Amino acid sequence: MSLRRFAWLSLLWVLVVGLYAQSKEATWEEFAEMIAQRYAEAEADEEEGLTADYEELLERLHEQAQNKINLNTATREQLLALSFISPAQADSMLAYRQRKRGYWTLGELMFVSGLSYYERRYLPLFLSVAPPDSVLNKQVPIKTLLFGGKYEVETRLDVPLYRRAGYRTYSEDELTANPNLVYLGNGLTNVLRYRYRYGRQFRYGLTLDKDAGEPFAAKGNWPYDYAAFFAHYRQQRGRYVVLLGDYRVHLGQGLLLGSSFFGSVSQLLDGRLTQTAMLRPHTSTEENRFFRGAAGSVRLRSVRLTAFVSYRKLDARMENDSVRTLLTDGYHRTQRERERKDAVGCVAGGADVSYLQQDWQVGLSAFVAHYAKPLAPDERPYTQFYMRGQTAVGLSAHYRVGKRRWTLQGELVADKQFHLALSNTLTLCPDDELSVVVQQRAFSRRFVAPFGQAVQAGSRVANEVGGFVGLKYTGFARTELRAYADFARFPAPVYRANSASNCLTLFAEGRYAFTQAFNVLLRYRYRTRQYNVTGYADVLEYNGTHRARLQANYAGDAYTLHAAFDLTAAQKQTAQTQFGWMLSARSTYKPLPTLSLAAFAGLFFTDAYAAAVYAYEPQLLYRFQVPAFYYHGWRTALQVQWKVLSHVQVGLRYSLLHYFNRDHISSGPQQIDGPTQQDLSLQVRLTF
């Protein structure tokens, strides 16, 4: 049987599975796919400003799903910890509880105003209904807090069934001429996680990670290349929080210090903007966007005080004892990458004081970071306003004011040279079915905030003036409509644009549920941005990409089926339009409560990488990936997850990527000589 025929049969098999099942409640996999689609939306764009770590987000949400919030004792802050619930929706849920003197069932969410059909569908994954208890008034013994909770040990091993160029044997002359041809470690990837938690009060964890090509127990690794630890204590009523080890910080709107939930401006439609200081552990294998040290917050009546201090070493490309580039990929596979590891130390610290009321809040923040060696970026048009020197300082004022039907929030930040960054967002809810969001942002081209991460179109909180208008409507039964337009202008040069340039994004999405088991989604997104014309450094042209998706979702008692058709058109003013399309399907089958089978198949044809398509595949727990597909080929993924014993779960995943029109994959040390790439992953999870 030819590979092309096998591809069509794989796709047909996935489509046929699950056609006769009956309806059921939303699953974790369905919710994870919703997050994945938003990730793909950001991944499809170069230089997207919001690059949140979705692996950590999924782990955090999965932990929340395992430790559900009791609606009859939940606080406003606990509800807002769910990344898809807005402040207005949290207030509506609490108002219903007060009016009815508690919830009897989760079905009562049907009567809570402001919740869409799909939010009511996902909320039972994270909420429970139980009689109010006095647990908040109980003093937990230290021994119980430290040893009476739940433990989890999880490890994943990724095995490539192919050989990249970096693992070949080279002659001494070849290695002398270029020692970075070869990887210093083997091709295996291994992640080891250890977690402990006692309810919502106390948790700690350790994460170890070895990427493919990195040495294991050699070259200074003991034994892994990357290690992260955290300990997190939260007082029962949330009055104070203490964090040790690795953590993340979000202040105000993120202009000074940011750590967003999702990776696109569409998060504005969900009202997910943090108004006060937020601390959370860093739990993923992402090796860049976190602090290392200690942090804490305390709330005294209406005042919340937050402070943190950090020291860690960063990867960097050095030249003459100066930092030319801070590196963020976390790879240490070759001799050159190892030399750049932990090249410069960074001391950072900050504080925030916020005054909190139900209808309004204000806050002031301060931050300072000092690098052990001066930053001196290469002289290029787009780096002329990058940070230079050793010290960055920022002062911020942030606010939020509003009622149930409207909210106005914003932040103003000044760096040590008094260059400014400003962002304001207005949310209007004329009724329970309609919400309108308007955002304005203006960042000085010289503004410096090395850890800023906000709602933006560029890659930095700097050199941007823009605006956003969006709406979400749920007034039609079982229907959700979302749309937005975002415009940004970059007054100074940016990467690939040597003069002032523009960017425009248009988005529209509609989802309709025919029944609780069957719904369809239609999405369109267009993004155009000015870049240099090839060969003309001072001439710009618009590069635009149209992306459309039609998807049908069916969920039964034992089966689920998701089928999608994606279409892409990439345009340049000086070149012909490049097209791409993908037909894909994903299904799961649970013959037993302890056994889950999943499959994915997709056929794709694109003219070039610019017209790449994206699709979500079944993933092992805590694993998150939305690969890009380009040129001509097909993709298949098969997965088994089996709960062998009550405390032991095993997962196995096999994936195959085959190109019809290529004789090799990737380039340099990553090159695979052949059109096929096969991978195998094994995961073991112990809970006790």
Side-chain angles (χ1 to χ4, degrees):
M1 181 184 296
S2 68
L3 286 174
R4 190 182 295 266
R5 180 176 297 178
F6 182 70
W8 281 107
L9 290 177
S10 299
L11 181 61
L12 181 63
W13 178 82
V14 178
L15 288 169
V16 169
V17 170
L19 291 181
Y20 300 102
Q22 297 178 354
S23 65
K24 67 170 187 177
E25 296 180 351
T27 64
W28 169 258
E29 291 76 13
E30 180 183 344
F31 178 78
E33 185 197 13
M34 179 196 72
I35 298 178
Q37 289 175 348
R38 299 186 182 188
Y39 171 82
E41 178 187 325
E43 186 72 8
D45 294 328
E46 278 187 76
E47 295 190 329
E48 183 68 50
L50 299 176
T51 53
D53 187 356
Y54 293 85
E55 181 182 310
E56 179 169 307
L57 173 63
L58 277 183
E59 180 177 350
R60 181 158 47 88
L61 289 172
H62 189 267
E63 180 180 328
Q64 290 174 332
Q66 291 179 308
N67 192 26
K68 294 185 177 183
I69 301 171
N70 182 2
L71 262 179
N72 286 321
T73 58
T75 65
R76 189 173 189 267
E77 290 183 349
Q78 288 177 328
L79 294 176
L80 289 178
L82 300 176
S83 57
F84 57 97
I85 293 298
S86 69
Q89 292 170 329
D91 291 339
S92 293
M93 295 165 69
L94 295 177
Y96 180 90
R97 183 180 72 186
Q98 183 177 7
R99 187 169 63 251
K100 298 296 183 179
R101 298 184 179 181
Y103 289 86
W104 290 92
T105 69
L106 290 177
E108 292 180 74
L109 292 173
M110 291 287 295
F111 305 105
V112 176
S113 61
L115 294 178
S116 71
Y117 168 81
Y118 298 97
E119 287 156 348
R120 292 188 180 100
R121 181 168 172 80
Y122 296 137
L123 276 171
L125 295 173
F126 304 95
L127 301 177
S128 66
V129 171
D133 51 48
S134 58
V135 66
L136 293 178
N137 300 319
K138 295 179 180 178
Q139 185 68 32
V140 180
I142 295 181
K143 182 177 180 181
T144 302
L145 191 70
L146 296 179
F147 306 106
K150 297 182 179 180
Y151 298 83
E152 176 183 330
V153 179
E154 179 263 334
T155 185
R156 191 188 79 244
L157 181 67
D158 298 338
V159 182
L161 305 180
Y162 48 85
R163 190 181 187 188
R164 296 190 185 274
Y167 305 111
R168 297 174 187 164
T169 301
Y170 294 92
S171 67
E172 291 187 6
D173 292 339
E174 289 176 311
L175 292 178
T176 300
N178 186 0
N180 296 293
L181 287 174
V182 63
Y183 290 141
L184 301 177
N186 57 46
L188 301 177
T189 297
N190 180 233
V191 178
L192 177 63
R193 289 182 174 89
Y194 170 75
R195 299 286 186 265
Y196 169 83
R197 62 180 173 88
Y198 181 84
R200 298 181 178 276
Q201 291 180 252
F202 181 64
R203 54 178 173 154
Y204 62 83
L206 175 68
T207 302
L208 304 173
D209 176 47
K210 173 202 172 302
D211 294 315
E214 294 177 342
F216 181 80
K219 305 290 184 181
N221 291 341
W222 304 95
Y224 288 79
D225 174 77
Y226 167 79
F229 170 80
F230 73 88
H232 181 207
Y233 175 75
R234 178 182 181 275
Q235 191 260 354
Q236 290 174 323
R237 294 184 180 275
R239 291 182 57 188
Y240 55 86
V241 175
V242 178
L243 262 169
L244 299 175
D246 297 340
Y247 59 90
R248 295 192 177 195
V249 181
H250 190 117
L251 300 180
Q253 306 296 295
L255 304 186
L256 183 62
L257 287 167
S259 183
S260 6
F261 288 101
F262 294 124
S264 81
V265 293
S266 65
Q267 69 169 324
L268 287 170
L269 296 178
D270 300 316
R272 289 307 303 144
L273 287 177
T274 303
Q275 295 84 33
T276 58
M278 178 183 68
L279 304 173
R280 69 170 183 256
H282 173 68
T283 62
S284 77
T285 58
E286 204 282 326
E287 301 183 28
N288 178 51
R289 296 185 299 275
F290 66 92
F291 295 101
R292 176 166 289 170
S297 69
V298 58
R299 181 164 180 171
L300 305 172
R301 296 183 180 272
S302 297
V303 178
R304 171 177 288 165
L305 303 174
T306 303
F308 68 96
V309 62
S310 165
Y311 174 76
R312 59 181 297 245
K313 293 184 176 181
L314 308 175
D315 295 355
R317 179 174 66 86
M318 307 294 298
E319 183 178 318
N320 298 328
D321 207 36
S322 296
V323 178
R324 290 299 189 185
T325 307
L326 291 172
L327 306 175
T328 60
D329 58 19
Y331 289 126
H332 309 112
R333 303 162 297 184
T334 65
Q335 179 176 317
R336 179 183 293 117
E337 291 175 348
R338 298 288 301 176
E339 291 171 351
R340 295 173 174 176
K341 181 181 180 181
D342 297 339
V344 59
C346 178
V347 178
D352 176 89
V353 54
S354 296
Y355 186 78
L356 312 176
Q357 293 294 314
Q358 180 69 26
D359 296 332
W360 62 276
Q361 51 193 258
V362 294
L364 296 174
S365 305
F367 170 77
V368 60
H370 180 78
Y371 297 89
K373 298 177 181 179
L375 275 60
D378 296 326
E379 296 291 343
R380 294 194 173 98
Y382 64 89
T383 64
Q384 58 182 309
F385 300 121
Y386 279 23
M387 177 182 169
R388 298 177 186 274
Q390 292 182 259
T391 305
V393 176
L395 297 174
S396 162
H398 51 87
Y399 73 94
R400 176 181 180 270
V401 59
K403 296 288 186 178
R404 183 171 177 270
R405 295 297 184 185
W406 64 275
T407 302
L408 179 63
Q409 52 197 318
E411 182 177 22
L412 175 64
V413 185
D415 64 15
K416 69 176 183 178
Q417 300 296 333
F418 289 98
H419 303 129
L420 302 179
L422 172 68
S423 176
N424 293 285
T425 303
L426 174 65
T427 302
L428 298 174
C429 300
D431 53 46
D432 293 334
E433 291 78 27
L434 175 65
S435 62
V436 180
V437 183
V438 180
Q439 187 238 21
Q440 164 272 332
R441 57 187 182 271
F443 312 145
S444 167
R445 66 184 70 187
R446 299 178 183 272
F447 180 70
V448 172
F451 299 98
Q453 187 181 25
V455 175
Q456 64 208 53
S459 58
R460 301 184 303 130
V461 181
N463 185 36
E464 181 175 332
V465 178
F468 170 97
V469 178
L471 63 88
K472 180 169 69 172
Y473 184 69
T474 59
F476 303 120
R478 298 179 179 271
T479 302
E480 181 177 278
L481 303 176
R482 297 157 53 94
Y484 69 79
D486 183 82
F487 173 78
R489 179 167 178 79
F490 311 104
V494 295
Y495 179 63
R496 293 176 56 202
N498 290 345
S499 59
S501 56
N502 300 320
C503 176
L504 174 68
T505 304
L506 303 175
F507 173 87
E509 177 186 89
R511 186 191 294 259
Y512 179 75
F514 290 90
T515 66
Q516 189 173 351
F518 179 68
N519 66 80
V520 296
L521 176 144
L522 179 62
R523 175 188 294 124
Y524 169 76
R525 191 169 193 259
Y526 173 67
R527 191 176 200 253
T528 184
R529 184 166 178 174
Q530 287 180 298
Y531 291 114
N532 296 329
V533 175
T534 304
Y536 299 88
D538 298 325
V539 181
L540 301 182
E541 66 173 342
Y542 279 99
N543 290 219
T545 305
H546 300 265
R547 299 186 182 277
R549 161 171 283 210
L550 176 62
Q551 179 173 315
N553 307 291
Y554 189 84
D557 287 335
Y559 299 90
T560 66
L561 175 64
H562 308 268
F565 177 72
D566 291 270
L567 184 63
T568 302
Q571 298 175 318
K572 285 186 178 182
Q573 291 179 268
T574 60
Q576 292 183 339
T577 302
Q578 297 174 326
F579 294 96
W581 62 269
M582 182 176 192
L583 182 63
S584 63
R586 176 171 52 88
S587 67
T588 61
Y589 172 52
K590 294 186 177 181
L592 299 170
T594 57
L595 181 64
S596 175
L597 309 176
F600 172 87
L603 283 170
F604 56 92
F605 289 82
T606 76
D607 295 333
Y609 176 79
V613 291
Y614 296 79
Y616 174 72
E617 302 176 353
Q619 300 289 343
L620 297 173
L621 188 62
Y622 304 143
R623 175 68 170 167
F624 193 82
Q625 187 179 20
V626 182
F629 301 102
Y630 45 92
Y631 301 119
H632 303 170
W634 64 281
R635 171 78 168 184
T636 296
L638 305 173
Q639 181 172 291
V640 179
Q641 295 194 84
W642 181 28
K643 196 171 185 179
V644 183
L645 300 171
S646 59
H647 302 291
V648 181
Q649 179 176 311
V650 177
L652 183 66
R653 186 178 189 272
Y654 166 80
S655 63
L656 184 147
L657 174 64
H658 178 78
Y659 289 98
F660 302 139
N661 63 337
R662 303 185 68 188
D663 57 6
H664 69 277
I665 300 175
S666 194
S667 60
Q670 286 288 92
Q671 181 169 313
I672 302 171
D673 293 332
T676 304
Q677 175 180 338
Q678 301 180 75
D679 292 274
L680 189 67
S681 296
L682 173 65
Q683 183 181 64
V684 178
R685 179 169 173 257
L686 308 176
T687 57
F688 51 94

